[in-house]
Amino acid sequence: MSSSESGRQFINQPRQVVAEALEGCARLRHPDGSGVRLSAPASGMRLVVRDDWARDQVALISGGGSGHEPAHAGFVGAGMLTAAVCGELFASPTVDAVLAAIREVTGEAGALLIVKNYTGDRLNFGLAAERARQEGFKVEMVIVADDVALPDNPQPRGLAGTLLVHKVTGALAARGAGLKEITAVARRVADSCSTLGVAFNVGRHPGKPREQRAPELGLGIHGEPGAMALELGGASDTHGVHAVMDTVVTALVQGHSRKEAGGDLPASGHLLMINDLGGCSALERSLLLNEALTHPSLQALGIHAVVGPQPLMTSLDMHGFSLTLLPLDSLLEEALSASCAPVAWPGVQSVTPLTHFTPSQDAARTLSDEASDAMRAQAKADCQARAAHGVKSRAGLPGDPQVEQRLRAALEILLASEADLDRLDAISGDGDTGSTFASGARAVIEALEDCELACGDSGELMATIGKQLAHGMGGSSGVLLSTLFTAAATRWKEQSEANGQAPLGQRWHDALSHGVARMQHYGGASRGDRSLLDALLPALEALQSSLQTTASGRVDWAAMARAARQGADATAEMTKARAGRSAYVPSSHLVGNSDPGAEAVARVFEALADAAEEAAG
């Protein structure tokens, strides 16, 4: 890899970049099974030619300096170019190379050269065309000059609009059109399309530091100066992209209007091409698409079709984009939408109005679910009416005073432990375990006070707790514990339908064990990873042991609390965390400090044991 002041690049030797990149492209076949052939390295030329070409149609040849990939080699294939002639980075190919390409692919139907309007390309392709005609080949040349950055420029530059000429002429050639017809349509597309770009910086040449430049409107694809420097807000300017798009669109539409005024162009319906100049992320491209399609000036033009946003004609890794407008008619629409082999062509998409929907907050419901909801709503109303008169019973919802007492004890200890758990988490995490667990506890307490918890129906109780934690706890812990209770509630319901006579304690163990297993499945943590599982799993093992050793199947809450406490304390001796933020913390910060999640679980089981002892006494 090459490195510079601006960072590293995935290259070997800078002088071999173009040749090696073309070899990479040539090692793949298009989805239709076709591919490309490369000229031999010993020739000193870099020609890319369709490997399925039979010289029975008009040949389409384009090219220019490299560094604009996927243009032009990436567009060689059925339905687009027949051959691409590639020069060095930002340097036109030689006359001999262009002439060799003409000789290689041109048959009786002739060839069309599609050339960007740069001096080197015009001269080299032009002289090659003259020499080819001298040899008896039928050759035409179309120059694309779609740049509208400089209104008074007598020689506008050829930019991304060149690719629209490739696509339209490729479709015409594929259906057997003649050279004269294809050339006429190519000139019409070249004359009627308009392109304008903007960039935050120039592309970085292989092995060299990036040239420092101010953001510019109309910056050329070889780094040529733009029409004007842009003064943009800083990174905190939330209106920056909106302002940039407005500047680009306003200037583009003005330039395009000058072309329409000077020619016979369709008055309605345009294609918009959004071209990533090489350095935009996928997220940025989608944002640019949204900004463009919602701009009033483009909406007024009538954008019926869109190509991109994709890297199509780049400038190495230039962080910028260009917009191209093309007036449409039925012939152009059909040609642009025709299938083609090169995967670099992203296709044409139609524009559709933005629509929204309101997501359902609940799973698919049955009539019995709705009836149950109606009964629960009435029960809640009755409960609240009684509570207003000092009556605490929850008529209508199954109640169990002992379950409610223990649940309150567990929730209150989490509230009381908020500061302790936050301090413990600050050593190995971001200091919010206590507040996160407290938020979950408050959400469940609120549901309890609002008569939404059925303490006498274990499955319903776990399902409701799962929902409250999902909405009220936040963080990864909230999702994990919500998963635990939700999955446990599902298993409880399955047990009720299959074998409702199993001992209550055993059903709790099986349901919670299933919930923990699902939590591990999604969370990825295991015992010994320094997480709340190191306290929770020992507690469940103690529950199973107590159920097996007592004939009555009584739950030994004290044994569960001792197991959870031992598991939590053991995390203080674990020098490596494998889950959560503490996985990124040095072992020196972990030794001697318990995991805050495990500590929270231990305190909950201790509170449950104290509540059980109080009820028994």
Side-chain angles (χ1 to χ4, degrees), residues 421-436 475 581-582 585 596:
L421 295 175
D422 278 345
R423 281 194 294 270
L424 191 59
D425 188 36
I427 299 172
S428 58
D430 53 4
D432 67 348
T433 294
S435 57
T436 299
R581 287 188 175 88
S582 58
V585 176

Side-chain angles (χ1 to χ4, degrees), residues 379-420:
K380 178 179 177 179
D382 295 343
C383 167
Q384 291 172 337
R386 287 181 172 83
H389 295 87
V391 179
K392 298 298 184 180
S393 64
R394 285 164 170 74
L397 285 179
D400 187 321
Q402 286 190 350
V403 172
E404 180 176 338
Q405 176 195 16
R406 294 167 187 166
L407 178 59
R408 284 187 179 275
L411 298 172
E412 288 169 359
I413 195 61
L414 288 175
L415 294 178
S417 301
E418 180 175 358
D420 289 346

Side-chain angles (χ1 to χ4, degrees), residues 529-561:
D529 285 350
R530 204 177 191 276
S531 72
L532 59 83
L533 290 172
D534 292 304
L536 183 55
L537 289 174
L540 291 179
E541 291 170 356
L543 170 60
Q544 179 67 8
S545 178
S546 68
L547 295 174
Q548 293 173 345
T549 56
T550 57
S552 62
R554 183 180 63 85
V555 174
D556 189 342
W557 292 99
M560 294 175 67

Side-chain angles (χ1 to χ4, degrees), residues 110-443:
L112 174 64
L113 308 185
I114 303 168
V115 182
K116 301 189 299 297
N117 193 27
Y118 291 96
T119 302
D121 290 347
R122 286 201 318 271
L123 293 177
N124 292 336
F125 276 81
L127 180 54
E130 294 299 326
R131 290 175 59 181
R133 293 187 188 108
Q134 191 177 56
E135 295 180 13
F137 292 101
K138 292 190 295 185
V139 178
E140 295 291 343
M141 189 166 96
V142 170
I143 297 174
V144 185
D146 52 318
D147 183 23
V148 295
L150 303 170
D152 300 324
N153 187 359
Q155 291 289 346
R157 297 167 292 197
L159 300 174
T162 309
L163 306 180
L164 299 179
V165 181
H166 292 174
K167 183 64 184 70
V168 171
T169 56
L172 294 177
R175 72 184 193 194
L179 179 59
K180 182 177 179 180
E181 177 188 356
I182 293 174
T183 301
V185 175
R187 288 201 173 105
R188 179 158 68 90
V189 174
D191 291 344
S192 60
C193 66
S194 303
T195 298
L196 184 63
V198 67
F200 291 145
N201 55 39
V202 296
R204 180 160 53 102
H205 283 250
K208 297 181 180 180
R210 189 188 306 277
E211 178 188 354
Q212 298 304 308
R213 296 262 291 274
E216 294 180 60
L217 178 70
L219 191 69
I221 57 173
H222 306 104
E224 307 97 323
M228 58 180 288
L230 298 181
E231 294 186 8
L232 304 177
S236 61
D237 181 4
T238 57
H239 303 290
V241 178
H242 185 77
V244 170
M245 183 61 72
D246 183 63
T247 300
V248 175
V249 170
T250 300
L252 173 63
V253 171
Q254 289 176 351
H256 189 63
S257 298
R258 290 191 294 271
K259 282 193 173 185
E260 288 187 319
D264 182 19
L265 304 181
S268 63
H270 282 75
L271 175 139
L272 173 68
M273 181 164 66
I274 305 178
N275 172 48
D276 174 5
L277 286 166
C280 295
S281 67
L283 190 64
E284 288 175 299
R285 292 197 293 267
S286 294
L287 193 151
L288 292 170
L289 172 65
N290 188 57
E291 289 286 343
L293 292 181
T294 55
H295 195 284
S297 296
L298 291 181
Q299 289 181 330
L301 275 179
I303 303 300
H304 294 171
V306 174
V307 174
Q310 285 293 324
L312 297 165
M313 182 174 286
T314 64
S315 180
L316 297 170
D317 61 348
M318 180 183 285
H319 193 183
F321 68 94
S322 67
L323 302 181
T324 301
L325 288 172
L326 174 67
L328 293 174
D329 61 18
S330 58
L331 184 149
L332 297 185
E333 287 192 67
E334 181 180 351
L336 288 164
S337 300
S339 62
C340 64
V343 295
W345 177 253
V348 177
Q349 299 180 78
S350 60
V351 179
T352 184
L354 183 65
T355 59
H356 294 97
F357 71 96
T358 302
S360 172
Q361 299 299 312
D362 297 305
R365 311 187 64 75
T366 64
L367 291 176
S368 61
D369 291 331
E370 294 172 1
S372 177
D373 283 351
M375 294 175 59
R376 188 173 289 104
Q378 183 60 50
K380 178 179 177 179
D382 295 343
C383 167
Q384 291 172 337
R386 287 181 172 83
H389 295 87
V391 179
K392 298 298 184 180
S393 64
R394 285 164 170 74
L397 285 179
D400 187 321
Q402 286 190 350
V403 172
E404 180 176 338
Q405 176 195 16
R406 294 167 187 166
L407 178 59
R408 284 187 179 275
L411 298 172
E412 288 169 359
I413 195 61
L414 288 175
L415 294 178
S417 301
E418 180 175 358
D420 289 346
L421 295 175
D422 278 345
R423 281 194 294 270
L424 191 59
D425 188 36
I427 299 172
S428 58
D430 53 4
D432 67 348
T433 294
S435 57
T436 299
F437 274 83
S439 295
R442 292 188 188 96

